[in-house]
Amino acid sequence: MNTAGTIDRPFTHDPQKQAPMKPSTYEPAGSANQDFTISGAKDSRQNRTREMQLIPEAMARAHMRERLQEAERDRQAVRLVAARRMQRRAERASLRARRALAMAVMQ
């Protein structure tokens, strides 16, 4: 069984054994795209393959960084709510103490 393979399941993962890139059949003749079968194409294809293999890792890192920042913002919001709650509680206690002192002075 000698099939060419697909993008998701390539016939080989070795860039040296992959078929050279060919110009698109949808491009008009003489378009700006050049043929990639020139020397050095194997190296560029290998580098592109490495970069493409690292894309999911970079995306996972960015996703984790975003989640960590979101968690930190949530923690800051919880701390702010708790601080405001304690401030209101302290203000109410201060008012009660002032009232108690005023009542003691009046009598």
Side-chain angles (χ1 to χ4, degrees), residues 80-91:
L80 180 63
V81 167
R84 286 183 178 162
R85 188 181 308 129
M86 287 188 281
Q87 182 181 7
R88 286 192 302 265
R89 187 178 296 166
E91 287 171 357

Side-chain angles (χ1 to χ4, degrees), residues 15 40-53:
K42 289 182 181 176
D43 293 335
S44 71
R45 190 181 309 121
Q46 189 171 6
N47 288 338
R48 189 168 52 250
T49 301
R50 270 194 214 114
E51 289 170 10
M52 292 179 85
Q53 287 173 346

Side-chain angles (χ1 to χ4, degrees), residues 18-29:
Q18 290 177 0
M21 294 178 69
K22 296 178 183 157
S24 173
T25 57
Y26 299 109
E27 294 282 333

Side-chain angles (χ1 to χ4, degrees), residues 14-79:
D14 184 11
Q16 303 291 337
K17 296 179 183 175
Q18 290 177 0
M21 294 178 69
K22 296 178 183 157
S24 173
T25 57
Y26 299 109
E27 294 282 333
S31 68
N33 291 344
Q34 64 183 18
D35 191 4
F36 288 101
T37 58
I38 58 175
S39 66
K42 289 182 181 176
D43 293 335
S44 71
R45 190 181 309 121
Q46 189 171 6
N47 288 338
R48 189 168 52 250
T49 301
R50 270 194 214 114
E51 289 170 10
M52 292 179 85
Q53 287 173 346
L54 295 176
I55 286 173
E57 189 177 329
M59 288 177 65
R61 255 193 235 108
H63 187 72
M64 285 300 296
R65 188 179 320 115
E66 189 177 316
R67 293 290 156 259
L68 286 170
Q69 289 173 350
E70 184 180 340
E72 182 60 30
R73 283 193 303 268
D74 289 347
R75 282 192 291 271
Q76 284 178 340
V78 167
R79 283 195 297 262

